[in-house]
Each structure stands twice: as structure tokens, then as C-alpha cells.
């Protein structure tokens, strides 16, 4: 969601701040701003893209050795310049990610002290509260520390004041923030990608940490003021990894990176003849032993990956599996099982609802926890007992693609590990499944070659206002994922149903203007699906069918068939989602929407 970049260096940091914001544009935002210190506080804000902010900075000749910058995704107050960050209080400026739940009571108290509020945001209360504490505190770090003790909610903040231009202060609780250690200065950001331009050496802040940044170093303290050390890491990301290269959009790039992303994720089994529990961490043998059920918790696309895994786990491992939407799980009364394995899935590892659900499960006594994530040092990974890092590389496009398929690969490996634990998987079957997994990158590459036909289908979709996606069994969640992708980036309203549910309501929507997309693998439910498709044709519905070879669904008037290169059995969902990704991408191209930054959405959802 919102993005923060902070810099203090022995040079002009304005280009660093602006480039950092550009690298964070993928997170989703509606306004941008920066504040710098150069003989005084100077602030620029724009209710638009980072490019507009950069133009303002160039026009004004803004340059300074210390500054903070921000991209805002509106929570409190409409998108506008007056609500854009940074917010100021008498020479002090603040940028903030997250939500402060008690900002109204803080605001009323500060008004009684004579502070005026000019925005609708919760962040302005932080600025005035820090300024209020700075009147008695010995320095900015202490003023920020006292302020954070009063805040309820989630936040990552960066602060500077013209009273002391030699330092900046950052703090985090429940929202991501890391430091970057450069040769000429010290930096901070919401995401490593923003800092690759200046350094690959990063320090991940823990919840509750505050840090004072200077040109010659930094210091970190805890909420009680005690100093603390955090290890530095050399990021494996490179600046090239977050560049578009030959592609038109990041989503397109990431769709076509899936064969390599899968190969990287499955590298742990490249030469082995069996799946070892150790791939989930050194504690895995003990944690996976005696698991009686699996609880999967996730949001959005990751939730759909969990739904596919439920079919795999119950079929192969014969372990009951429940899949919960993270934002709902902790707000209902549930029955905890200490012998359950709690699996949380997140691309960023900072998804607020998923992290909160994981902590809730642990508080209920469920200590067997596994994080499937794409970011090794993220909060969710640190919170879980076990981990599996999907090596998808940075995913910039808001609509997740390669993160989804690599999550499925990780869940397939977990299924095999648990199936061995329950003695439901003999050596011959294990070898067969491993061979299929190793072949996945090649199989996905073949599916990508279908792009020209999918592109022609997309031309027909662009003028539609609604679409219906159908699937059965383990492909029903893939239909859900296809519908989500189409609505996310093309703004075509799309819904997904288990095909057997057509007669129970959705069939009323079917007419010549409602395209119906069906996933038709050559599995045991194919004949049932064919009957459902006949129901659609009988009502004049136009069918677009992604069919395996051998499905024997004829292409006739009103029935368009795209034949998949091969049937892939248990792993078929991994293949079938790829053409749905391409369909949504090309439909969005025809419509001319902002593919990588769809309206109202954010990449990393760090607030509830």
C-alpha cells in the first residue's frame, strides 16, 4: 500500500527519494509528496503520480541532503493534495503508513493545546503529537518514542525537523520498514526495491523498533528506550530484477517469468528422489509429526492457492483441511486444535490480516505454524515456526501471477511431505509426483505459447460488462482466480462458480451478452462439466473453454475451444491458471486500463 522513502546523505537526496517512490508505485497509491531540509523545511505534494511530484521538484530546483517521501493510498480522507503526505507541524514533517485507531482522541486533546488540523488524515495527529513532545524531549528520537507509546494501531513513520537537520527518525509497528546502509549515507524504506539504487545492505526493523538515521550511521532503540542491535543482510535482489526490460507491463513480465520462478522454487527437489520435511525448516520433522488437520489462512489470490491445496491434502495425505479468509478468521469463535498445522500464505509477508490471524492462532495454542512467502525476512516469516520461501523474485504488478503459481508449487511439496507422514504415499507414487513437479516449468512454457489465440479471445471480451467463470473440483478455485484477475485489471465484473451450482441461481444471468469461461481438464468430473456447459448453450450463452487434449468438446457456433498442450493430473491447476492470467491481461490492454496499477487497489495490503 503506501510507500515510504527516507534518506540522509552527503549529497542531494531528492533524486534518491523520487526514484525510490517510482520503485514503490506498484504498491498502489493516489497521491505523493516529499519534505526536505535545506536551511528550512520545504514540502511538495501532488494528488497524482510520482511523475507530477518530480516535475514540481524540478521546477522548484529542490535539493537537500536529508528528506522523506511518500506515496499515499487513501484510508482517512479522500485523495487530494491537502490529505497527501508529508504532514507538518511547525517545522516538523511526518510520513506514515498504516492506520492509527485512536487518532480522534489524540486530535481532540491536541486541539485543546492549540494545534490546528488542516487535513482529514490520522497522520496529521502524529505530526502534532511529536511536535508537542519535542517541546520537553531532549531530541527528536525521544519525542518520537514518547509519541509511539500513545499510538494504537499499525504504523511505519519517518520524521524530520528543521530544529535538527542532522538526523531523521523512523519507527515501525505492524507495517514494514527497513534501513539501507550506504557508503555515503543512511536510508529507510518500505521495500528493499526502493533502495537498490543506493545499497543492497539492509537492516530489517522489528515491531516496536525506532531508529535514528545520520549520514555516518544509525542507532536503534526499543519502545522503552533501550538500545538494540539488528543484523544486516545483503539483499539478493538486484536493480535489474525490478526493471521492465523487453516487456510492456510488469504483469506481462511476471506471467512470462513463471517457468523460471517455478524452476527456482522447486530447485530443492531438483536432484533428490524424495521430499524431505527439512525443506520447511529444521524444526519441521517434529512439527509435521502427528498433524491431524491443516488450517490454511490467506487473503485474495493466496486464499485461492489454499483452496486448491485443500483438494490435494485431502486426496493425497488424507488429512482434513480448512481454508479461512484471514480477515474473517480471528473475528469469529473457532475451535483450536493444538495438533493442527496452521499454514499462512502471503506474497509480501506483510499482509496485515494474515499476520494478525497467525498471531491469533498462536494465541489459541496452535504452535505448529508454517509460512509460505516470497520475502525471506518479512514479518509473517519471522512469526511462523516453519517457512517455505517461494523464489518467485520481486512481483511488481498488483495482480499476482508468478506468486500464485509458486505458492501452488510450495503447497504441492507440503502435500507430499504430509502424505509421507501419514503413510499414504509410497516411494513409487512419490517419485511419480516429483517427476511431474520437475516438469512443471517446461509444461508452463508450452502454455505460454498459446498467447496469440488467447489474445484474439480478449478482443471479444473488451466490450463486455460481465463474465462468468466455471470450474469443478480442484479447478473451481482456478475459476475464482481467473475471475479475480479479470475484474482486478480490466474492471469487467466477473464471478466464479462451481459448475454444478449453475442451476441453483447463476444460470439466470446467462444470455448472449454474458461470456462464460470454463476450465475443462480431462479428469473424472469432465462428463459432469459437459452437462453444465450444455445448460449454458441451451440458454444462448457464449462459451470459452480451456480444454485438455482428449476432452472431446467440439468447437461449434457459440463454443470456442482452446486446447491445452497436455493433461497434467493433480498439478493441472498450475497450468490452467496461466491462460486465464493472459486472458485478463490482454482484455485490459484492449480496454486501455492501467494494468500494473489498477484503480483503488494496492499490492501489499498492510492495513486491515
Amino acid at each position: 500500500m503506501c510507500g515510504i522513502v527516507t534518506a540522509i546523505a552527503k549529497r542531494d537526496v531528492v533524486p534518491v527519494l523520487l526514484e525510490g517512490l517510482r520503485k514503490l508505485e506498484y504498491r498502489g497509491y493516489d497521491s505523493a509528496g516529499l519534505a526536505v531540509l535545506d536551511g528550512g523545511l520545504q514540502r511538495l505534494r501532488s494528488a497524482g503520480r510520482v511523475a507530477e511530484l518530480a516535475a514540481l521538484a524540478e521546477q522548484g530546483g529542490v535539493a537537500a541532503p536529508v528528506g522523506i517521501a511518500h506515496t499515499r493510498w487513501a484510508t482517512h480522507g479522500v485523495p487530494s493534495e491537502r490529505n497527501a503526505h508529508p504532514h507538518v507541524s511547525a517545522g516538523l514533517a511526518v510520513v506514515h503508513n498504516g492506520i492509527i485507531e485512536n487518532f480522534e482522541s489524540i486530535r481532540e486533546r491536541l486541539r485543546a493545546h492549540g494545534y490546528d488540523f488542516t487535513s482529514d488524515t490520522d497522520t496529521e495527529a502524529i505530526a502534532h503529537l511529536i511536535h508537542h513532545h519535542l517541546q520537553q524531549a531532549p531530541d527528536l528520537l525521544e519525542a518520537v518514542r514518547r509519541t509511539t507509546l500513545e499510538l494504537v494501531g499499525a504504523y511505519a513513520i519517518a520524521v524530520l525537523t528543521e530544529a535538527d537537520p542532522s538526523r531523521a527518525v523512523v519507527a515501525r509497528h505492524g507495517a514494514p520498514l527497513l534501513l539501507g546502509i550506504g557508503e555515503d549515507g543512511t536510508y529507510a524504506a518500505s521495500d528493499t526495491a526502493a533502495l537498490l539504487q543506493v545499497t543492497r545492505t539492509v537492516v530489517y526493523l522489528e515491531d516496536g523498533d525506532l531508529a535514528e538515521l545520520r549520514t555516518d550511521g544509525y542507532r536503534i532503540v526499543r519502545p522503552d528506550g533501550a538500545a538494540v542491535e539488528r543484523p544486516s543482510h545483503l539483499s539478493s535482489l538486484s536493480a535489474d530484477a525490478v526493471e521492465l526490460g523487453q516487456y510492456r507491463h510488469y504483469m506481462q513480465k511476471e506471467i512470462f517469468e513463471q517457468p523460471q520462478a517455478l524452476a527456482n522454487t522447486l530447485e530443492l527437489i531438483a536432484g533428490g528422489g524424495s521430499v524431505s520435511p527439512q525443506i520447511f525448516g529444521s524444526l519441521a520433522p517434529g512439527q509435521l509429526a502427528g498433524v491431524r488437520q491443516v488450517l490454511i489462512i490467506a487473503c485474495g489470490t493466496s486464499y485461492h492457492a489454499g483452496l486448491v491445496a485443500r483438494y490435494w491434502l485431502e486426496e493425497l495425505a488424507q488429512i482434513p483441511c480448512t481454508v479461512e479468509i484471514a480477515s474473517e478468521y480471528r473475528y469469529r469463535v473457532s475451535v483450536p486444535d493444538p495438533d493442527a498445522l496452521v499454514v499462512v500464505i502471503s506474497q509480501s509477508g506483510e499482509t496485515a490480516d494474515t499476520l494478525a490471524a497467525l498471531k491469533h492462532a498462536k494465541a489459541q495454542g496452535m504452535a505448529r505454524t508454517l509460512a509460505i512467502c516470497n520475502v525471506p525476512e518479512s514479518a509473517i516469516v519471522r512469526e511462523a515456526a516453519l517457512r517455505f520461501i517461494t523464489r518467485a523474485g520481486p512481483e511488481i504488478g498488483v495482480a499476482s501471477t508468478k506468486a500464485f503459481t509458486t505458492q501452488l508449487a510450495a503447497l504441492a511439496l507440503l502435500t507430499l511431505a504430509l502424505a509421507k507422514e501419514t503413510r499414504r504415499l509410497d516411494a513409487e507414487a512419490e517419485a511419480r509426483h516429483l517427476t511431474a513437479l520437475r516438469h512443471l516449468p517446461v509444461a508452463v512454457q508450452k502454455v505460454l505459447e498459446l498467447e496469440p489465440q488467447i489474445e484474439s479471445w480478449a478482443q471479444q471480451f473488451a466490450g463486455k460488462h460481465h463474465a462468468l467463470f466455471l470450474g469443478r473440483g480442484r479447478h473451481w478455485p482456478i475459476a475464482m482466480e481467473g475471475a479475480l484477475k479479470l475484474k482486478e485489471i480490466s474492471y469487467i465484473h466477473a464471478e466464479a462458480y462451481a459448475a454444478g451450482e449453475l442451476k441453483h441461481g447463476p444460470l439466470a444471468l446467462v444470455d448472449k451478452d454474458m461470456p462464460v469461461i470454463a476450465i475443462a481438464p480431462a479428469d473424472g468430473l469432465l462428463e459432469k462439466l459437459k452437462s453444465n456447459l450444455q445448460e449454458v448453450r441451451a440458454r444462448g450463452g457464449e462459451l470459452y473453454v480451456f480444454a485438455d487434449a482428449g476432452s472431446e468438446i467440439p468447437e461449434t457456433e457459440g463454443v470456442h475451444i482452446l486446447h491445452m498442450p497436455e493433461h497434467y493430473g493433480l498439478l493441472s491447476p498450475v497450468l490452467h491458471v496461466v491462460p486465464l492470467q493472459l486472458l485478463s491481461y490482454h482484455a485490459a490492454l484492449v480496454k486501455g486500463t492501467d494494468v500494473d496499477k489498477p484503480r483503488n487497489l494496492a499490492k501489499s495490503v498492510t492495513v486491515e
Side-chain angles (χ1 to χ4, degrees):
M1 301 183 77
C2 306
I4 287 175
V5 185
T6 303
I8 179 166
K10 300 171 184 176
R11 59 162 165 154
D12 176 23
V13 300
V14 173
V16 176
L17 297 175
L18 291 170
E19 181 61 20
L21 291 186
R22 291 187 187 99
K23 296 304 183 188
L24 296 178
E25 285 188 293
Y26 75 91
R27 297 169 71 92
Y29 70 104
D30 47 57
S31 59
L34 62 81
V36 297
L37 296 175
D38 185 25
L41 179 67
Q42 187 171 2
R43 175 177 64 162
L44 296 176
R45 296 186 294 177
S46 170
R49 293 304 188 192
V50 171
E52 297 173 37
L53 180 67
L56 289 175
E58 184 177 357
Q59 291 167 13
V62 179
V66 57
I68 56 178
H70 190 264
T71 51
R72 176 179 185 255
W73 188 81
T75 55
H76 296 75
V78 299
S80 65
E81 183 177 332
R82 66 186 291 268
N83 288 326
H85 298 210
H87 289 283
V88 300
S89 182
L92 180 146
V94 174
V95 293
H96 161 231
N97 294 352
I99 291 177
I100 304 303
E101 297 172 8
N102 62 334
F103 82 98
E104 291 178 326
S105 62
I106 293 173
R107 184 168 57 186
E108 291 309 307
R109 178 157 53 90
L110 290 170
R111 277 179 172 151
H113 285 285
Y115 286 93
D116 292 324
F117 286 78
T118 61
S119 78
D120 305 314
T121 69
D122 52 345
T123 305
E124 192 176 6
I126 302 175
H128 290 319
L129 186 57
I130 295 172
H131 181 269
H132 175 70
H133 283 301
L134 192 57
Q135 309 314 302
Q136 293 83 33
D139 56 30
L140 182 60
L141 179 63
E142 177 60 17
V144 175
R145 188 190 73 83
R146 294 179 187 181
T147 297
T148 58
L149 294 177
E150 299 187 44
L151 302 179
V152 176
Y155 58 81
I157 59 176
V159 191
L160 50 77
T161 176
E162 61 185 14
D164 187 356
S166 66
R167 66 200 70 224
V169 172
V170 299
R172 69 152 292 185
H173 177 77
L177 197 66
L178 55 92
L179 307 183
I181 314 306
E183 293 181 0
D184 62 348
T186 310
Y187 307 84
S190 309
D191 191 309
T192 310
L195 302 182
L196 291 175
Q197 55 175 314
V198 289
T199 184
R200 288 177 57 201
T201 303
V202 296
V203 175
Y204 295 98
L205 298 179
E206 299 286 346
D207 263 3
D209 282 354
L210 301 94
E212 179 186 81
L213 282 57
R214 307 178 308 275
T215 55
D216 60 350
Y218 64 95
R219 64 181 172 122
I220 302 172
V221 301
R222 294 296 293 158
D224 62 1
V228 66
E229 298 288 335
R230 298 293 182 213
S232 62
H233 303 266
L234 186 64
S235 173
S236 60
L237 292 180
S238 67
D240 290 342
V242 293
E243 297 296 336
L244 265 176
Q246 63 178 325
Y247 296 97
R248 188 170 173 183
H249 297 93
Y250 280 108
M251 183 178 180
Q252 181 189 31
K253 177 176 183 275
E254 288 152 14
I255 289 172
F256 279 86
E257 285 177 340
Q258 287 178 112
Q260 189 60 55
L262 284 165
N264 293 342
T265 299
L266 294 168
E267 189 176 30
L268 289 169
I269 61 160
S274 65
V275 175
S276 168
Q278 300 284 350
I279 64 175
F280 301 101
S282 59
L283 300 177
Q287 292 269 309
L288 298 185
V291 168
R292 297 193 309 180
Q293 66 170 307
V294 175
L295 169 63
I296 299 176
I297 304 172
C299 300
T301 285
S302 297
Y303 171 70
H304 296 157
L307 290 175
V308 173
R310 178 175 63 185
Y311 287 92
W312 289 344
L313 286 161
E314 295 194 346
E315 180 178 343
L316 278 190
Q318 306 260 308
I319 294 177
C321 179
T322 302
V323 187
E324 295 270 5
I325 296 173
S327 58
E328 292 292 324
Y329 167 66
R330 67 190 179 105
Y331 294 112
R332 69 175 182 82
V333 177
S334 58
V335 181
D337 181 353
D339 292 325
L341 175 66
V342 180
V343 181
V344 288
I345 312 171
S346 168
Q347 189 282 136
S348 69
E350 304 289 349
T351 310
D353 289 317
T354 306
L355 179 58
L358 171 58
K359 292 178 178 178
H360 176 68
K362 290 173 65 177
Q364 288 190 305
M366 291 190 283
R368 303 173 189 244
T369 57
L370 165 66
I372 294 176
C373 182
N374 195 38
V375 182
E377 297 297 334
S378 59
I380 285 173
V381 170
R382 294 196 302 268
E383 187 72 28
L386 306 178
R387 65 180 64 184
F388 187 96
I389 306 303
T390 56
R391 296 172 58 194
E395 189 178 66
I396 306 300
V398 166
S400 183
T401 52
K402 63 178 180 175
F404 179 71
T405 49
T406 53
Q407 286 169 358
L408 288 178
L411 289 163
L413 291 173
L414 176 64
T415 300
L416 295 181
L418 287 173
K420 288 179 66 176
E421 182 63 35
T422 58
R423 303 187 186 282
R424 304 287 183 177
L425 188 70
D426 60 31
E428 182 181 347
E430 181 181 11
R432 187 171 63 251
H433 288 301
L434 287 176
T435 298
L437 277 167
R438 293 188 189 105
H439 183 64
L440 260 182
V442 173
V444 169
Q445 187 62 53
K446 291 180 181 178
V447 176
L448 290 169
E449 294 170 5
L450 300 173
E451 184 180 28
Q453 186 175 344
I454 296 168
E455 190 172 357
S456 68
W457 280 13
Q459 297 285 339
Q460 302 172 54
F461 272 78
K464 303 297 183 182
H465 298 289
H466 308 279
L468 190 63
F469 286 71
L470 301 178
R472 299 206 69 147
R474 65 178 76 101
H475 293 83
W476 173 31
I478 298 303
M480 296 168 71
E481 177 62 11
L484 176 62
K485 287 292 158 285
L486 189 66
K487 71 180 84 171
E488 274 184 307
I489 62 169
S490 73
Y491 314 147
I492 296 171
H493 172 243
E495 298 296 338
Y497 284 90
E501 284 292 289
L502 268 177
K503 296 183 290 294
H504 300 283
L507 201 56
L509 297 172
V510 172
D511 61 18
K512 61 183 177 59
D513 296 319
M514 170 76 85
V516 178
I517 301 94
I519 303 166
D523 59 17
L525 289 170
L526 179 60
E527 295 305 317
K528 297 289 186 183
L529 179 68
K530 287 180 179 179
S531 297
N532 303 139
L533 300 186
Q534 288 298 324
E535 294 166 359
V536 171
R537 284 300 300 136
R539 274 78 179 175
E542 190 103 352
L543 280 166
Y544 295 83
V545 184
F546 294 93
D548 283 347
S551 62
E552 298 180 353
I553 301 175
E555 184 156 8
T556 59
E557 184 180 356
V559 181
H560 312 279
I561 306 294
L562 186 145
H563 290 287
M564 300 288 286
E566 56 185 309
H567 174 55
Y568 220 66
L570 200 73
L571 296 172
S572 175
V574 182
L575 269 61
H576 272 276
V577 77
V578 175
L580 300 183
Q581 296 168 348
L582 287 168
L583 180 65
S584 63
Y585 172 71
H586 284 289
L589 282 188
V590 175
K591 291 197 68 176
T593 60
D594 193 338
V595 173
D596 288 331
K597 297 184 284 291
R599 68 190 182 200
N600 305 332
L601 298 179
K603 180 63 178 176
S604 181
V605 185
T606 55
V607 297
E608 286 194 69

